[in-house]
Amino acid sequence: MSFMQALRTRWEQADSLVCVGLDPEPAKFPARFAGDPDAVFNFCRAIVDATAPYVCSFKPQIAHFAALGAEDALARLIAHIHAACPGIPVILDSKRGDIGSTAQHYAAEAFDRYGADAVTANPYLGRDSVQPFLDRADRGVVILCRTSNPGAGDLQDLTIDGRPLYQHVAEKVARDWNGNGNCALVVGATWPQQLREVRAIVGEVPFLVPGVGAQGGDVEAVVTHAKTADGTGLVVSSSRAILYASSGGDFADAAAGATKSLRDEINRYR
């Protein structure tokens, strides 16, 4: 099953648009993980197992693992998701973008080394920098468009031919780069009007929407402005508000509760 097929199936079967971001920070782990040499894997596995019934996808952030020297834990975590939660796609959040053979190696890293179903990518080096990802028709390419961080407008809002750059990116991806139907766009929850504008440009192309939860994005505004006609089209990502919903022994149950609450809140506006 391709990434897009898996995502659509999961939207329907789980009745969820929620993506749990897996961004491990050992300083925030419950005390039970102190002294555990495999704490990163064990913590993330517990989160995955607890939240799986309520999600459409998982999104591990590669830097959170690599900075800890925990790439092996990342590979084992993705393998665990595929084995224990079949049908739930994994988006590797690595925001890759480079040229030539380097881009090819980044694609191999995401899809062959780690076994991810999709990867986030930076489009600002042009099409050849993402072509190796686009060529993997069964995998997803989630391309940065209008991001959720405060400095996003420094470049993404620059006006070109009367329109901001992020709108040109959206149009380019939907019109020219999506020949295999495997593209999605990152559009932040903190910019609801931009969500509406990008949706009007790209039609049914899915959005990965970070910025709810800890970053303060408004769920009602996200869903109202960005859902597709059938009430789907969104992968609404939350990380810290779910992972660290409790610092006690009930951390996994608290994460499950936070995920279910977000799913139910999203569904109220669909």
Side-chain angles (χ1 to χ4, degrees), residues 221-270:
V222 167
V223 178
T224 301
H225 289 296
K227 67 180 179 179
T228 53
D230 64 356
T232 66
L234 301 176
V235 178
V236 181
S237 178
S238 180
S239 303
R240 285 168 288 172
I242 290 172
L243 297 183
Y244 309 113
S246 171
S247 60
D250 64 341
F251 76 97
D253 289 339
T259 308
K260 183 178 183 296
S261 293
L262 179 57
R263 182 201 66 177
D264 293 347
E265 184 180 5
I266 290 168
N267 286 349
R268 282 200 294 272
Y269 305 112
R270 290 173 63 187

Side-chain angles (χ1 to χ4, degrees), residues 8-217:
R8 292 187 182 99
T9 298
R10 193 67 192 166
W11 282 336
E12 180 179 350
Q13 292 182 349
D15 193 28
S16 177
L17 307 182
V18 175
C19 172
V20 171
L22 300 167
D23 303 357
E25 297 183 43
K28 296 181 179 180
F29 289 178
R32 62 180 281 188
F33 292 99
D36 180 353
D38 206 14
V40 169
F41 174 76
N42 289 329
F43 173 80
C44 290
R45 178 179 60 184
I47 295 290
V48 164
D49 292 346
T51 61
Y54 313 113
V55 307
C56 68
S57 61
F58 288 107
K59 182 176 68 66
Q61 215 298 325
I62 194 168
H64 283 260
F65 292 85
L68 300 168
E71 292 93 339
D72 176 68
L74 173 59
R76 287 185 288 126
L77 179 64
I78 294 174
H80 173 75
I81 294 170
H82 290 323
C85 316
I88 300 182
V90 176
I91 302 167
L92 183 64
D93 191 0
S94 57
K95 300 180 179 67
R96 299 304 196 196
D98 214 315
I99 59 174
S101 63
T102 305
Q104 295 172 3
H105 285 299
Y106 276 141
E109 173 197 50
F111 300 140
D112 301 327
R113 178 186 180 188
Y114 289 116
D117 301 289
V119 65
T120 56
N122 189 327
Y124 288 98
L125 274 72
R127 178 167 182 156
D128 58 321
S129 69
V130 296
Q131 192 64 52
F133 303 100
L134 300 174
D135 288 342
R136 299 289 289 267
D138 60 328
R139 307 298 175 105
V141 190
V142 187
I143 297 171
L144 300 178
C145 179
R146 184 62 169 88
T147 56
S148 59
N149 57 302
D154 291 350
L155 298 178
Q156 296 165 28
D157 286 352
L158 292 176
T159 300
I160 302 172
D161 295 333
R163 293 192 298 162
L165 178 58
Y166 72 84
Q167 292 189 12
H168 289 276
V169 171
E171 183 177 66
K172 176 68 70 174
V173 171
R175 184 185 64 193
D176 299 333
W177 295 6
N178 199 26
N180 286 324
N182 61 341
C183 290
L185 292 170
V186 177
V187 188
T190 47
W191 314 108
Q193 183 57 43
Q194 284 84 347
L195 280 162
R196 180 189 293 275
E197 294 167 357
V198 175
R199 176 59 70 205
I201 292 168
V202 304
E204 301 293 308
V205 173
F207 292 173
L208 171 62
V209 185
V212 301
Q215 293 187 55

